[in-house]
Amino acid sequence: MQAPSLGGVSVPRGDGSTVIRLRHGASLNDFADKIDANPASLVTVLFHLGEMATATQSLDEDTFGTLAAELGYVIEMVSAEEEDRELLGAFDIDLEAELAEEGDDQLQPRPPVVTVMGHVDHGKTKLLDAIRSTDVVAGEAGGITQHIGAYQVKAEHEGVERPITFIDTPGHEAFTAMRARGAQVTDIAILVVAADDGVMPQTIEALNHAQAAGVPIVVAVNKVDKEAANPAKIRQQLTEYNLVAEEYGGDTMFVDVSAKQRIGIDQLLEAVLLTADAALDLRANPDKDARGVAVEANLDRGRGAVATVLVQSGTLHVGDAIVAGTAHGRVRAMFDEHGATLTEATPARPVQVLGLTSVPRAGDTFLVAPDDRTARQIAEKREAAERAAQLAKRRKRISLEDFTQALQQGKVETLNLVLKGDVSGAVEALEDALLKIDVGDEVDLRVIHRGVGAITQNDVNLATVDNAIIIGFNVKFAERVEELAEREGVDVRFYSVIYQAIDDVEAALKGMLKPEYEEVQLGTAEVREVFRSSRFGNIAGSLVRSGIIRRNAKARVLRKGTVIGDNLSIDSLKRFKDDATEVREGYECGIGLGSFNDIEVDDVIETYEMREKPRA
Ligand code: GDP
């Protein structure tokens, strides 16, 4: 159905409940595609709603919402997981179906994966150290010498040695960050509570996170070697949070330990195995391509991208083509936590992988693809989707509303920057060069903070408050700051060549400029006869002289070369008795200009539309 809308353009309308599903980072082009409209009309409608955007620009959910409401549609954003599922589906990979199809024949027991959480200073790090050194095999292999982000130890339970996998990043931040990406790695949480201190804010936070994720908890009551230790009080305190010790009739195992004196560690590991056996069905199919999660990753000068991945199902082999988030490659070599080379890794095995072309993020899922080409294509598609989503987010931070307001108030729009570099000379040179960029008077560039060293939480916070973009020159994120930047939608860019930074900033400045609209003439018609109708007002019986006359287009009326009516729209358009959408040069038609009735024979009706002018 075509109906009039804002801006005098015609757009197919929904009935107010027609749902349109869009990806994060979609543009007006995508929206236009779904409703079979002309993207330029959507630009115009949006413009009349007070938002300026190009047809290809990524827009945020709010903007789409406003536009959709106007046109009678309801917007539903496709979640990142759904999007990725669709993306993999295009390559015939359906991870869910794969898991659902696995029965008892394929499934084999796998070790539990454990994360250690708890309040700061309650001994999480010390406990992980203690567990690492209890490993019965570690002695022979020379101990766990490498920090690779996760390790596996063997523990004895009822005379049988069984492996347990530990995520070597203490605290619930990593746990939550991974969950935020849709990766559930942890099977069991060890909640460390210092017996001389008791339940503290982060203890509660940690247990909330674990409970929200449906992860069973084993409580390690730590520092029992201390004089002030009161393990019974911890048990009593935690009953308030639904963690009731077995000895009090509950089903949570509490183990008294001293991470420092290495007391109770074996019992703790046994409690983990007991809890796993009682509460969980830990099985996976080892006989297929590996799927799992990246736990940690970094760029090594000599070895390139180094990622520790945890295999969750299937078996990973040297030579496999893999994708981890937006990184891809071929497994060149694998190492365990002892630095020993492996040729394969089975479920719940953490392993350090060499051979990725870039560094994945902690929490990115990985999978083995049928071949290199597929791996690369999946990675590229993911990257494109991510970039689009990022663009939409960024637009939200530097919003057009603020922009329009600033313009109305006569202020100029400012691009705020935070500059960080490895040496002060570089930061100064960068700042000098950036401030020399000439983009006219409409936009302004301001360096709100500069400094030497990694990009810190403080930098990101500043950027959040002032809508700034962070530029890192030969520096990286400080620990955990990347997550924060991502969460806040702060744009952080890294460079090692100054002119690239300058080029990008220049482009950003141009992108921020208000789009300019120009009038494009569509056609003219000459009035031959005027029909007076009490119902529709005056109708101009006209002959189209040039171009086309389109219903809902903007119009003006000229009499002897002078404009006598402007900002009108072609309200009705008829060929004989029938409604027409457009009428071409050389044809006759009846034109109604709404409430504008001052039409005379020989007047000229000119129609036009506003189009965005590309910037030089
Ligand atoms: P985290 O912040 O939870 O990782 O805590 P740490 O493992 O860094 O430990 C904090 C402090 O408590 C350190 O000074 C440890 O030496 C100390 N600590 C940890 N476990 C024990 C323990 O079992 N007994 C005693 N006395 N001190 C401990």
Side-chain angles (χ1 to χ4, degrees), residues 59-115:
L59 301 182
D60 60 59
E61 193 174 347
D62 291 349
T63 311
F64 277 123
T66 313
L67 179 63
E70 177 61 31
L71 299 176
Y73 300 99
V74 178
I75 290 290
E76 227 178 74
M77 297 309 268
V78 178
S79 74
E81 286 93 59
E82 259 179 283
E83 203 173 306
D84 203 53
R85 208 174 305 137
E86 273 176 33
L87 192 154
L88 290 176
F91 293 94
D92 268 338
I93 301 173
D94 185 341
L95 300 178
E96 270 171 31
E98 194 179 281
L99 287 178
E101 278 163 21
E102 286 165 356
D104 287 342
D105 295 350
Q106 288 90 36
L107 296 175
Q108 308 228 349
R110 64 160 179 89
V113 179
V114 182
T115 298

Short mmCIF file of all heavy atoms in Angstrom, two decimals, residues 59-115:
data_model
loop_
_atom_site.label_atom_id
_atom_site.label_comp_id
_atom_site.label_asym_id
_atom_site.label_seq_id
_atom_site.Cartn_x
_atom_site.Cartn_y
_atom_site.Cartn_z
N LEU A 59 22.71 2.76 11.51
CA LEU A 59 21.90 3.52 12.47
C LEU A 59 21.62 2.68 13.70
O LEU A 59 21.62 1.46 13.64
CB LEU A 59 20.58 3.93 11.82
CG LEU A 59 20.70 4.80 10.58
CD1 LEU A 59 19.33 5.16 10.06
CD2 LEU A 59 21.50 6.06 10.89
N ASP A 60 21.33 3.35 14.81
CA ASP A 60 21.04 2.59 16.02
C ASP A 60 19.55 2.26 16.10
O ASP A 60 18.74 2.75 15.31
CB ASP A 60 21.50 3.37 17.26
CG ASP A 60 20.82 4.70 17.36
OD1 ASP A 60 19.58 4.73 17.43
OD2 ASP A 60 21.52 5.73 17.35
N GLU A 61 19.25 1.44 17.09
CA GLU A 61 17.89 0.93 17.24
C GLU A 61 16.88 2.06 17.43
O GLU A 61 15.78 2.02 16.86
CB GLU A 61 17.87 -0.01 18.45
CG GLU A 61 16.63 -0.84 18.53
CD GLU A 61 16.71 -1.86 19.65
OE1 GLU A 61 17.80 -2.10 20.18
OE2 GLU A 61 15.65 -2.41 19.98
N ASP A 62 17.26 3.08 18.23
CA ASP A 62 16.32 4.18 18.50
C ASP A 62 15.90 4.88 17.22
O ASP A 62 14.73 5.21 17.02
CB ASP A 62 16.97 5.21 19.43
CG ASP A 62 17.16 4.65 20.83
OD1 ASP A 62 16.59 3.57 21.09
OD2 ASP A 62 17.85 5.29 21.63
N THR A 63 16.88 5.15 16.38
CA THR A 63 16.60 5.86 15.13
C THR A 63 15.66 5.04 14.25
O THR A 63 14.68 5.55 13.72
CB THR A 63 17.91 6.17 14.39
OG1 THR A 63 18.81 6.75 15.32
CG2 THR A 63 17.67 7.10 13.23
N PHE A 64 15.96 3.74 14.15
CA PHE A 64 15.08 2.88 13.36
C PHE A 64 13.69 2.85 13.97
O PHE A 64 12.68 2.83 13.27
CB PHE A 64 15.65 1.46 13.29
CG PHE A 64 16.68 1.28 12.23
CD1 PHE A 64 17.94 0.82 12.54
CD2 PHE A 64 16.39 1.60 10.91
CE1 PHE A 64 18.90 0.67 11.55
CE2 PHE A 64 17.34 1.45 9.90
CZ PHE A 64 18.60 0.99 10.24
N GLY A 65 13.67 2.85 15.31
CA GLY A 65 12.38 2.80 16.01
C GLY A 65 11.51 3.99 15.65
O GLY A 65 10.32 3.84 15.35
N THR A 66 12.11 5.17 15.66
CA THR A 66 11.38 6.39 15.34
C THR A 66 10.83 6.33 13.91
O THR A 66 9.66 6.61 13.65
CB THR A 66 12.33 7.61 15.43
OG1 THR A 66 13.08 7.50 16.64
CG2 THR A 66 11.57 8.90 15.40
N LEU A 67 11.70 5.94 13.01
CA LEU A 67 11.33 5.88 11.61
C LEU A 67 10.23 4.84 11.39
O LEU A 67 9.23 5.09 10.71
CB LEU A 67 12.56 5.53 10.77
CG LEU A 67 12.36 5.40 9.26
CD1 LEU A 67 11.92 6.71 8.67
CD2 LEU A 67 13.66 4.94 8.60
N ALA A 68 10.41 3.68 12.02
CA ALA A 68 9.46 2.59 11.84
C ALA A 68 8.08 2.98 12.37
O ALA A 68 7.06 2.72 11.74
CB ALA A 68 9.96 1.33 12.54
N ALA A 69 8.08 3.63 13.54
CA ALA A 69 6.81 4.03 14.15
C ALA A 69 6.06 4.96 13.19
O ALA A 69 4.84 4.85 13.01
CB ALA A 69 7.06 4.72 15.48
N GLU A 70 6.80 5.85 12.57
CA GLU A 70 6.20 6.79 11.62
C GLU A 70 5.56 6.06 10.44
O GLU A 70 4.53 6.45 9.93
CB GLU A 70 7.30 7.75 11.13
CG GLU A 70 6.85 8.74 10.09
CD GLU A 70 5.75 9.67 10.58
OE1 GLU A 70 5.73 9.95 11.79
OE2 GLU A 70 4.91 10.08 9.75
N LEU A 71 6.20 4.98 10.04
CA LEU A 71 5.75 4.30 8.82
C LEU A 71 4.85 3.09 9.08
O LEU A 71 4.46 2.38 8.17
CB LEU A 71 6.97 3.84 8.00
CG LEU A 71 7.90 4.97 7.53
CD1 LEU A 71 9.11 4.40 6.83
CD2 LEU A 71 7.15 5.92 6.60
N GLY A 72 4.56 2.86 10.38
CA GLY A 72 3.66 1.75 10.70
C GLY A 72 4.34 0.39 10.80
O GLY A 72 3.74 -0.64 10.53
N TYR A 73 5.62 0.40 11.19
CA TYR A 73 6.31 -0.88 11.39
C TYR A 73 6.83 -0.98 12.81
O TYR A 73 6.95 0.03 13.51
CB TYR A 73 7.50 -1.01 10.43
CG TYR A 73 7.13 -0.97 8.98
CD1 TYR A 73 7.27 0.21 8.25
CD2 TYR A 73 6.63 -2.09 8.34
CE1 TYR A 73 6.92 0.26 6.92
CE2 TYR A 73 6.28 -2.05 7.01
CZ TYR A 73 6.42 -0.87 6.30
OH TYR A 73 6.07 -0.83 4.99
N VAL A 74 7.14 -2.19 13.20
CA VAL A 74 7.77 -2.41 14.50
C VAL A 74 9.14 -3.02 14.21
O VAL A 74 9.26 -3.96 13.44
CB VAL A 74 6.94 -3.38 15.36
CG1 VAL A 74 7.64 -3.63 16.69
CG2 VAL A 74 5.55 -2.84 15.57
N ILE A 75 10.16 -2.42 14.83
CA ILE A 75 11.52 -2.90 14.59
C ILE A 75 11.92 -3.93 15.64
O ILE A 75 11.66 -3.76 16.83
CB ILE A 75 12.51 -1.71 14.68
CG1 ILE A 75 12.33 -0.79 13.48
CG2 ILE A 75 13.95 -2.20 14.75
CD1 ILE A 75 12.78 -1.40 12.19
N GLU A 76 12.51 -5.00 15.17
CA GLU A 76 13.06 -5.98 16.09
C GLU A 76 14.51 -6.17 15.70
O GLU A 76 14.81 -6.47 14.55
CB GLU A 76 12.30 -7.29 15.90
CG GLU A 76 11.85 -7.94 17.18
CD GLU A 76 11.08 -9.20 16.88
OE1 GLU A 76 11.72 -10.20 16.51
OE2 GLU A 76 9.84 -9.17 16.97
N MET A 77 15.41 -5.94 16.63
CA MET A 77 16.82 -6.10 16.29
C MET A 77 17.20 -7.57 16.48
O MET A 77 16.88 -8.19 17.49
CB MET A 77 17.71 -5.22 17.18
CG MET A 77 17.47 -3.72 17.01
SD MET A 77 17.50 -3.11 15.31
CE MET A 77 19.20 -2.64 15.14
N VAL A 78 17.88 -8.12 15.51
CA VAL A 78 18.36 -9.49 15.59
C VAL A 78 19.54 -9.51 16.55
O VAL A 78 20.44 -8.69 16.44
CB VAL A 78 18.83 -9.96 14.19
CG1 VAL A 78 19.37 -11.37 14.24
CG2 VAL A 78 17.69 -9.86 13.19
N SER A 79 19.52 -10.41 17.53
CA SER A 79 20.60 -10.43 18.51
C SER A 79 21.90 -10.90 17.86
O SER A 79 21.88 -11.56 16.83
CB SER A 79 20.24 -11.35 19.67
OG SER A 79 20.35 -12.69 19.25
N ALA A 80 23.00 -10.56 18.51
CA ALA A 80 24.31 -10.91 17.96
C ALA A 80 24.44 -12.43 17.80
O ALA A 80 24.98 -12.92 16.82
CB ALA A 80 25.42 -10.38 18.87
N GLU A 81 23.89 -13.17 18.78
CA GLU A 81 23.99 -14.64 18.70
C GLU A 81 23.19 -15.18 17.52
O GLU A 81 23.65 -16.04 16.79
CB GLU A 81 23.47 -15.30 19.98
CG GLU A 81 24.39 -15.17 21.18
CD GLU A 81 24.06 -13.97 22.04
OE1 GLU A 81 22.93 -13.90 22.52
OE2 GLU A 81 24.92 -13.09 22.20
N GLU A 82 21.99 -14.64 17.38
CA GLU A 82 21.13 -15.08 16.27
C GLU A 82 21.82 -14.80 14.95
O GLU A 82 21.79 -15.61 14.02
CB GLU A 82 19.83 -14.27 16.28
CG GLU A 82 18.64 -14.97 16.86
CD GLU A 82 17.46 -14.03 16.81
OE1 GLU A 82 17.39 -13.10 17.66
OE2 GLU A 82 16.63 -14.19 15.93
N GLU A 83 22.40 -13.60 14.91
CA GLU A 83 23.07 -13.18 13.69
C GLU A 83 24.21 -14.14 13.35
O GLU A 83 24.37 -14.55 12.21
CB GLU A 83 23.62 -11.78 13.92
CG GLU A 83 23.84 -11.01 12.67
CD GLU A 83 24.21 -9.58 13.00
OE1 GLU A 83 23.47 -8.92 13.76
OE2 GLU A 83 25.25 -9.14 12.52
N ASP A 84 24.96 -14.50 14.38
CA ASP A 84 26.08 -15.40 14.16
C ASP A 84 25.59 -16.78 13.75
O ASP A 84 26.19 -17.45 12.92
CB ASP A 84 26.96 -15.48 15.41
CG ASP A 84 28.37 -15.91 15.07
OD1 ASP A 84 28.99 -15.25 14.20
OD2 ASP A 84 28.85 -16.90 15.63
N ARG A 85 24.46 -17.19 14.33
CA ARG A 85 23.90 -18.49 13.99
C ARG A 85 23.52 -18.50 12.50
O ARG A 85 23.80 -19.44 11.78
CB ARG A 85 22.66 -18.75 14.85
CG ARG A 85 22.41 -20.22 15.08
CD ARG A 85 21.26 -20.43 16.04
NE ARG A 85 21.46 -19.74 17.31
CZ ARG A 85 20.53 -19.06 17.95
NH1 ARG A 85 19.32 -18.94 17.45
NH2 ARG A 85 20.79 -18.46 19.09
N GLU A 86 22.90 -17.40 12.08
CA GLU A 86 22.52 -17.28 10.66
C GLU A 86 23.76 -17.32 9.78
O GLU A 86 23.78 -17.96 8.74
CB GLU A 86 21.79 -15.96 10.42
CG GLU A 86 20.30 -16.04 10.66
CD GLU A 86 19.65 -14.68 10.51
OE1 GLU A 86 20.12 -13.87 9.68
OE2 GLU A 86 18.67 -14.42 11.23
N LEU A 87 24.76 -16.57 10.24
CA LEU A 87 26.00 -16.49 9.49
C LEU A 87 26.62 -17.88 9.31
O LEU A 87 26.99 -18.28 8.20
CB LEU A 87 26.96 -15.57 10.24
CG LEU A 87 28.23 -15.06 9.57
CD1 LEU A 87 28.63 -13.75 10.22
CD2 LEU A 87 29.35 -16.04 9.71
N LEU A 88 26.69 -18.64 10.39
CA LEU A 88 27.26 -19.98 10.31
C LEU A 88 26.36 -20.89 9.48
O LEU A 88 26.84 -21.76 8.75
CB LEU A 88 27.46 -20.56 11.71
CG LEU A 88 28.56 -19.91 12.56
CD1 LEU A 88 28.59 -20.52 13.94
CD2 LEU A 88 29.92 -20.07 11.90
N GLY A 89 25.05 -20.66 9.60
CA GLY A 89 24.10 -21.45 8.84
C GLY A 89 24.37 -21.36 7.35
O GLY A 89 24.22 -22.34 6.61
N ALA A 90 24.81 -20.20 6.92
CA ALA A 90 25.12 -20.01 5.51
C ALA A 90 26.28 -20.91 5.07
O ALA A 90 26.48 -21.15 3.90
CB ALA A 90 25.47 -18.55 5.24
N PHE A 91 27.05 -21.38 6.04
CA PHE A 91 28.15 -22.28 5.73
C PHE A 91 27.80 -23.71 6.13
O PHE A 91 28.67 -24.56 6.31
CB PHE A 91 29.43 -21.85 6.47
CG PHE A 91 29.98 -20.55 5.98
CD1 PHE A 91 29.63 -19.37 6.61
CD2 PHE A 91 30.81 -20.50 4.88
CE1 PHE A 91 30.11 -18.15 6.16
CE2 PHE A 91 31.30 -19.30 4.42
CZ PHE A 91 30.95 -18.12 5.05
N ASP A 92 26.50 -23.94 6.36
CA ASP A 92 26.03 -25.27 6.74
C ASP A 92 26.53 -25.72 8.09
O ASP A 92 26.72 -26.91 8.32
CB ASP A 92 26.46 -26.31 5.69
CG ASP A 92 25.38 -26.47 4.65
OD1 ASP A 92 24.22 -26.13 4.98
OD2 ASP A 92 25.70 -26.90 3.53
N ILE A 93 26.77 -24.75 8.97
CA ILE A 93 27.21 -25.12 10.31
C ILE A 93 26.11 -24.75 11.29
O ILE A 93 25.70 -23.59 11.36
CB ILE A 93 28.52 -24.39 10.70
CG1 ILE A 93 29.63 -24.75 9.70
CG2 ILE A 93 28.95 -24.74 12.12
CD1 ILE A 93 30.91 -23.97 9.87
N ASP A 94 25.57 -25.73 11.99
CA ASP A 94 24.52 -25.47 12.97
C ASP A 94 24.95 -26.13 14.28
O ASP A 94 24.74 -27.33 14.49
CB ASP A 94 23.19 -26.05 12.47
CG ASP A 94 22.05 -25.68 13.41
OD1 ASP A 94 22.33 -25.33 14.58
OD2 ASP A 94 20.89 -25.76 12.98
N LEU A 95 25.55 -25.31 15.15
CA LEU A 95 26.14 -25.85 16.37
C LEU A 95 25.10 -26.44 17.30
O LEU A 95 25.33 -27.45 17.96
CB LEU A 95 26.95 -24.76 17.08
CG LEU A 95 28.11 -24.18 16.26
CD1 LEU A 95 28.82 -23.09 17.03
CD2 LEU A 95 29.10 -25.26 15.87
N GLU A 96 23.93 -25.80 17.34
CA GLU A 96 22.88 -26.28 18.25
C GLU A 96 22.36 -27.64 17.81
O GLU A 96 22.20 -28.55 18.63
CB GLU A 96 21.73 -25.29 18.33
CG GLU A 96 21.96 -24.27 19.43
CD GLU A 96 20.96 -23.15 19.38
OE1 GLU A 96 19.81 -23.40 18.95
OE2 GLU A 96 21.33 -22.03 19.75
N ALA A 97 22.08 -27.74 16.52
CA ALA A 97 21.56 -29.00 16.00
C ALA A 97 22.58 -30.11 16.22
O ALA A 97 22.24 -31.23 16.59
CB ALA A 97 21.25 -28.86 14.51
N GLU A 98 23.83 -29.73 16.05
CA GLU A 98 24.91 -30.69 16.23
C GLU A 98 24.89 -31.28 17.64
O GLU A 98 24.96 -32.48 17.83
CB GLU A 98 26.21 -29.92 15.99
CG GLU A 98 27.45 -30.72 15.80
CD GLU A 98 28.63 -29.79 15.56
OE1 GLU A 98 28.76 -29.30 14.44
OE2 GLU A 98 29.39 -29.54 16.51
N LEU A 99 24.73 -30.37 18.64
CA LEU A 99 24.71 -30.83 20.03
C LEU A 99 23.46 -31.65 20.31
O LEU A 99 23.51 -32.66 21.01
CB LEU A 99 24.77 -29.63 20.98
CG LEU A 99 26.13 -28.93 21.07
CD1 LEU A 99 26.05 -27.73 22.00
CD2 LEU A 99 27.20 -29.89 21.57
N ALA A 100 22.33 -31.19 19.75
CA ALA A 100 21.06 -31.86 20.02
C ALA A 100 21.05 -33.28 19.47
O ALA A 100 20.40 -34.17 20.02
CB ALA A 100 19.92 -31.05 19.41
N GLU A 101 21.80 -33.49 18.40
CA GLU A 101 21.78 -34.81 17.76
C GLU A 101 22.67 -35.82 18.47
O GLU A 101 22.59 -37.01 18.18
CB GLU A 101 22.25 -34.68 16.30
CG GLU A 101 21.15 -34.23 15.37
CD GLU A 101 21.70 -33.72 14.05
OE1 GLU A 101 22.85 -34.06 13.71
OE2 GLU A 101 20.97 -32.96 13.39
N GLU A 102 23.53 -35.33 19.37
CA GLU A 102 24.47 -36.26 19.99
C GLU A 102 23.79 -37.07 21.07
O GLU A 102 23.18 -36.52 21.99
CB GLU A 102 25.67 -35.48 20.55
CG GLU A 102 26.58 -35.01 19.44
CD GLU A 102 27.56 -33.95 19.88
OE1 GLU A 102 27.50 -33.52 21.05
OE2 GLU A 102 28.39 -33.56 19.04
N GLY A 103 23.88 -38.37 20.98
CA GLY A 103 23.25 -39.24 21.97
C GLY A 103 24.30 -39.95 22.79
O GLY A 103 25.49 -39.66 22.69
N ASP A 104 23.84 -40.90 23.61
CA ASP A 104 24.73 -41.64 24.50
C ASP A 104 25.88 -42.32 23.76
O ASP A 104 26.95 -42.52 24.31
CB ASP A 104 23.94 -42.69 25.28
CG ASP A 104 23.07 -42.03 26.34
OD1 ASP A 104 23.35 -40.86 26.66
OD2 ASP A 104 22.12 -42.67 26.82
N ASP A 105 25.63 -42.67 22.50
CA ASP A 105 26.68 -43.36 21.74
C ASP A 105 27.89 -42.49 21.52
O ASP A 105 29.02 -42.96 21.51
CB ASP A 105 26.15 -43.76 20.35
CG ASP A 105 25.04 -44.78 20.47
OD1 ASP A 105 24.86 -45.29 21.60
OD2 ASP A 105 24.38 -45.05 19.46
N GLN A 106 27.62 -41.18 21.30
CA GLN A 106 28.74 -40.29 20.99
C GLN A 106 29.36 -39.65 22.23
O GLN A 106 30.52 -39.28 22.23
CB GLN A 106 28.29 -39.15 20.06
CG GLN A 106 28.00 -39.56 18.63
CD GLN A 106 26.55 -39.96 18.44
OE1 GLN A 106 25.65 -39.39 19.05
NE2 GLN A 106 26.32 -40.97 17.63
N LEU A 107 28.53 -39.46 23.26
CA LEU A 107 28.99 -38.66 24.40
C LEU A 107 29.91 -39.43 25.34
O LEU A 107 29.63 -40.57 25.70
CB LEU A 107 27.78 -38.13 25.16
CG LEU A 107 26.91 -37.16 24.36
CD1 LEU A 107 25.68 -36.77 25.16
CD2 LEU A 107 27.71 -35.91 23.99
N GLN A 108 30.99 -38.78 25.71
CA GLN A 108 31.93 -39.39 26.64
C GLN A 108 32.17 -38.41 27.79
O GLN A 108 32.10 -37.20 27.59
CB GLN A 108 33.26 -39.60 25.93
CG GLN A 108 33.11 -40.33 24.63
CD GLN A 108 34.09 -41.47 24.51
OE1 GLN A 108 35.02 -41.59 25.30
NE2 GLN A 108 33.88 -42.30 23.51
N PRO A 109 32.46 -38.95 28.98
CA PRO A 109 32.68 -38.06 30.13
C PRO A 109 33.83 -37.11 29.85
O PRO A 109 34.79 -37.46 29.17
CB PRO A 109 33.07 -39.02 31.26
CG PRO A 109 32.68 -40.37 30.81
CD PRO A 109 32.64 -40.37 29.32
N ARG A 110 33.69 -35.88 30.38
CA ARG A 110 34.78 -34.92 30.23
C ARG A 110 35.03 -34.26 31.58
O ARG A 110 34.14 -34.27 32.45
CB ARG A 110 34.43 -33.87 29.19
CG ARG A 110 33.21 -33.02 29.58
CD ARG A 110 33.20 -31.72 28.80
NE ARG A 110 32.04 -30.90 29.14
CZ ARG A 110 32.02 -30.01 30.12
NH1 ARG A 110 33.07 -29.85 30.90
NH2 ARG A 110 30.93 -29.30 30.36
N PRO A 111 36.22 -33.71 31.79
CA PRO A 111 36.53 -33.07 33.08
C PRO A 111 35.71 -31.81 33.30
O PRO A 111 35.29 -31.17 32.33
CB PRO A 111 38.01 -32.71 32.94
CG PRO A 111 38.52 -33.45 31.76
CD PRO A 111 37.36 -33.72 30.88
N PRO A 112 35.47 -31.45 34.57
CA PRO A 112 34.79 -30.18 34.85
C PRO A 112 35.73 -29.00 34.63
O PRO A 112 36.94 -29.14 34.75
CB PRO A 112 34.42 -30.29 36.33
CG PRO A 112 35.38 -31.27 36.90
CD PRO A 112 35.77 -32.20 35.79
N VAL A 113 35.14 -27.85 34.30
CA VAL A 113 35.91 -26.62 34.14
C VAL A 113 35.53 -25.70 35.29
O VAL A 113 34.35 -25.44 35.53
CB VAL A 113 35.61 -25.95 32.78
CG1 VAL A 113 36.40 -24.65 32.65
CG2 VAL A 113 35.91 -26.90 31.64
N VAL A 114 36.54 -25.24 36.02
CA VAL A 114 36.31 -24.52 37.27
C VAL A 114 36.86 -23.10 37.22
O VAL A 114 37.94 -22.87 36.69
CB VAL A 114 36.99 -25.28 38.44
CG1 VAL A 114 36.74 -24.57 39.77
CG2 VAL A 114 36.51 -26.72 38.50
N THR A 115 36.08 -22.16 37.77
CA THR A 115 36.57 -20.79 37.91
C THR A 115 36.60 -20.44 39.40
O THR A 115 35.69 -20.82 40.14
CB THR A 115 35.63 -19.80 37.19
OG1 THR A 115 35.63 -20.10 35.80
CG2 THR A 115 36.10 -18.36 37.37
#
